[in-house]
Structures are given as C-alpha cells and as structure tokens.
C-alpha cells in the first residue's frame, strides 16, 4: 500500500486553529440553535392555538342556548318529516341554533383549527343524533334552495367518530 493514500490522517497532527474557523463554527452553531428554537416555538404556538380553539368550542356547546336547543332536538321523534319540524316554531328555532353551531364547529375541524379528536370526544354522539333527527329538514331545505351547501359542515363526519383521522372525513 502506498502511504501517501493516507495523507488525510496527518491533518490530525495540525493543531493550529485560526480565529476565522472558530467564528465559522460559532456562527453555524448559532444558526442551528436558532432554527431549532424556531421550530419548537412554532409547535408550541400551534398547540396553544388548538387549545384556544378547543376552549371556544367547549364554550359554544356549554351555552344555555346550545343546551336548550339540543334538548329540543333530542326530543324530535325519529323519522319526523321536514313539515313536522317546521310546524313547531320552537323546534325549528332549535334546529337552526344547533345547525349553525355545528356548522361553525364543523368548519373549524375542516380548517384544522379544532382537532377532530377534541370534537369527537366532546360531542361526537350528539352530532350523530342531531344529524339523524334533523336530516329530513336539512335535505328539504337543500331541495328548496337547490343548494347542497345548507348545513354542509354539520353533515360532514368521519365514518366512525372513533376514527378521528381528518383524511377519513366524508360527506354523505
């Protein structure tokens, strides 16, 4: 073997380090530290935003209007027609109240403001029940307005509220 092939090993013998090398290493370490700090802060900020949004969702569903309206919606007999829901002003008002609140929550999940898992844990069953009770009315409203946009975010839900992956979010 040719000893010249291992010339790089002799570099270890050179212990002279100049000031510019030290400055370059310090600059590189500073940049790496700054990037790491920025990433940690961005993640912390995202978590804080999600917590604030979840708190707002909880406030929305704990309002007296939500509670009264959900009690009325829960009392709608299964299979009630749109005409039956519209015939009672109190039921119709409750349906609109619940629909509007769930629209806001649904869009917040879609926009990834509120984690789907939070909504599923808080009101997943309530959403399924409300959709089952109000579906005939909402479908009639869509037919009348010729728009599928009426309560579209309320209708969207994962196939199973235990599967809280956003890519599984579907609309019927």
């Amino acid at each position: 073997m040719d000893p010249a092939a291992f010339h790089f090993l002799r570099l270890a013998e050179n212990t002279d380090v100049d000031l510019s090398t030290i400055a370059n290493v310090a600059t590189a370490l500073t940049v790496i530290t700054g990037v790491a700090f920025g990433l940690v802060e961005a993640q912390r900020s995202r978590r804080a935003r999600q917590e604030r949004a979840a708190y707002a969702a909880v406030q929305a569903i704990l309002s007296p209007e939500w509670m009264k309206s959900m009690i009325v919606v829960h009392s709608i007999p299964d299979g009630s027609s749109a005409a039956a829901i519209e015939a009672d002003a109190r039921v119709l008002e409750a349906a609109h109240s619940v629909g509007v609140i769930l629209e806001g929550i649904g869009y917040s999940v879609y926009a990834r403001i509120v984690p789907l898992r939070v909504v599923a844990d808080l009101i997943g069953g309530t959403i399924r029940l409300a959709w089952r009770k109000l579906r005939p009315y909402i479908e009639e409203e869509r037919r009348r307005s010729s728009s599928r946009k009426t309560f579209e975010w309320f209708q969207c839900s994962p196939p199973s509220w235990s599967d809280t992956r956003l890519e599984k979010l579907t609309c019927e």
Side-chain angles (χ1 to χ4, degrees):
M1 285 202 161
D2 182 17
F6 297 100
H7 66 73
F8 62 90
L9 293 177
R10 285 191 222 165
L11 292 176
E13 295 172 7
N14 186 358
T15 57
D16 295 340
V17 179
D18 62 353
L19 191 56
S20 67
T21 303
I22 294 172
N24 286 339
V25 169
T27 300
L29 289 175
T30 301
V31 168
I32 290 170
T33 302
V35 168
F37 178 76
L39 291 173
V40 168
E41 281 300 303
Q43 186 177 24
R44 186 193 62 76
S45 175
R46 188 184 71 228
R47 257 192 248 122
R49 186 189 78 198
Q50 287 178 339
E51 288 172 5
R52 284 191 306 273
Y55 179 72
V58 168
Q59 282 184 316
I61 62 173
L62 292 180
S63 70
E65 172 144 1
W66 165 263
M67 289 186 257
K68 284 190 292 188
S69 297
M70 273 314 299
I71 289 170
V72 172
V73 168
H74 279 231
S75 69
I76 296 172
D78 283 339
S80 290
S81 67
I85 292 171
E86 292 170 332
D88 186 337
R90 187 176 65 94
V91 171
L92 184 60
E93 183 179 339
H96 287 164
S97 178
V98 166
V100 168
I101 290 170
L102 292 178
E103 277 289 283
I105 291 173
Y107 180 77
S108 296
V109 168
Y110 172 78
R112 297 177 191 257
I113 297 168
V114 178
L116 181 58
R117 179 168 302 288
V118 170
V119 174
D121 289 346
L122 287 174
I123 57 172
T126 300
I127 292 171
R128 284 193 309 274
L129 179 66
W131 175 248
R132 190 178 76 225
K133 302 284 188 168
L134 297 176
R135 183 176 186 164
Y137 169 71
I138 292 169
E139 288 177 345
E140 178 61 21
E141 277 298 303
R142 288 177 178 175
R143 189 193 63 71
R144 276 188 276 218
S145 67
S146 299
S147 172
R148 300 285 303 160
K149 301 278 184 195
T150 304
F151 295 117
E152 67 179 329
W153 297 112
F154 167 25
Q155 177 184 356
C156 292
S157 64
S160 161
W161 276 95
S162 61
D163 185 358
T164 56
R165 292 174 292 170
L166 193 58
E167 60 270 9
K168 294 285 186 174
L169 196 67
T170 60
C171 292
E172 295 178 355

